[in-house]
Amino acid sequence: VTTREASLKRGVNLEYFSLLWNAIETIVGLIAGLVSGSVALIGFALDSIVEASSATILLWRFRGEARGRPEEEVERRAIRMVAFAFYGLALFLAVRSVYDLITRARPEASALGIGLAIGSLIVMPLLAWKKRTLARELKSRALEADSMQTILCTYISAFLLVGLVANAAFGWWWADPVAALAIAVIAAREGRELLSEGEHQH
Ligand SMILES: [Zn+2]
């Protein structure tokens, strides 16, 4: 087994872990959101499904190379697909923010929801850091972009937590949707940057 093969295998394992954590965010977030009637938590759960698409793309990319597809080709296609995953996340966050603002949805405090947000705040930065280190090793721009998705998930979890606490303490129900809107802008810019880099290379 060459070093590169071993690194690709580590990439596959990292992305499986990414999918697993996103599944936990989705399932626990939905349960906590439905029980407490919190639209913010339900939105958080649904956006984890969008985030999982980036991990799925990277799984396809690593396995493709491990099975002998040309590295340059799978990498280029993965970068494009991750760019669209960023656009998908941006669109989803924008729609949910506007919906929350129009309906004045309150992010009701829920112990389970707060526990989930804290869990993601601990796990996601570690995962992003591992992905970033491996991206440098593999010289994979696609994995570097995917690690940015993981960082955005950290921001989303942090703002969810702040939103839940701000509403409970001061009644600032708008804190979470306003923050989600800001993250939507970051995600859209990231997607645009990835696409323009791809064009410059060819
Ligand atoms: Zn997430």
Side-chain angles (χ1 to χ4, degrees):
V1 184
T2 65
T3 342
R4 179 136 188 123
E5 274 175 76
S7 300
L8 287 173
K9 183 112 211 335
R10 275 178 35 226
V12 167
N13 289 336
L14 274 181
E15 297 304 341
Y16 271 130
F17 179 80
S18 213
L19 281 181
L20 175 75
W21 193 265
N22 276 310
I24 292 173
E25 284 186 341
T26 306
I27 295 164
V28 178
L30 272 182
I31 293 171
L34 291 173
V35 167
S36 63
S38 166
V39 180
L41 270 166
I42 294 170
F44 177 77
L46 296 180
D47 101 349
S48 297
I49 298 177
V50 184
E51 283 166 22
S53 66
S54 176
T56 312
I57 294 162
L58 267 291
L59 269 180
W60 169 84
R61 185 242 174 273
F62 291 142
R63 284 184 159 166
E65 188 187 333
R67 284 176 190 158
R69 294 185 67 164
E71 180 198 341
E72 197 263 346
E73 183 210 315
V74 284
E75 174 71 14
R76 183 163 38 91
R77 290 180 61 185
I79 290 173
R80 274 188 72 84
M81 288 191 283
V82 172
F84 287 109
F86 273 113
Y87 281 131
L89 183 64
L91 184 69
F92 178 83
L93 287 172
V95 170
R96 104 149 145 96
S97 305
V98 171
Y99 175 85
D100 287 1
L101 288 171
I102 289 173
T103 61
R104 298 173 73 94
R106 288 189 172 270
E108 299 301 338
S110 120
L112 191 58
I114 288 173
L116 176 65
I118 292 173
S120 289
L121 264 182
I122 296 166
V123 169
M124 285 305 182
L126 282 172
L127 182 60
W129 172 68
K130 280 188 167 282
K131 283 179 175 177
R132 193 145 281 212
T133 310
L134 188 63
R136 236 174 278 134
E137 230 176 278
L138 287 169
K139 296 191 174 57
S140 168
R141 180 69 178 98
L143 181 57
E144 194 197 324
D146 175 57
S147 77
M148 184 62 193
Q149 285 258 359
T150 308
I151 290 171
L152 291 188
C153 178
T154 311
Y155 293 166
I156 294 169
S157 310
F159 288 132
L160 172 71
L161 190 60
V162 171
L164 292 176
V165 173
N167 180 59
F170 315 111
W172 291 354
W173 60 273
W174 43 264
D176 180 71
V178 168
L181 211 51
I183 298 169
V185 174
I186 300 174
R189 286 166 86 179
E190 200 69 22
R192 198 185 57 193
E193 199 185 301
L194 274 178
L195 280 186
S196 71
E197 280 174 22
E199 274 159 25
H200 289 312
Q201 275 168 11
H202 293 275

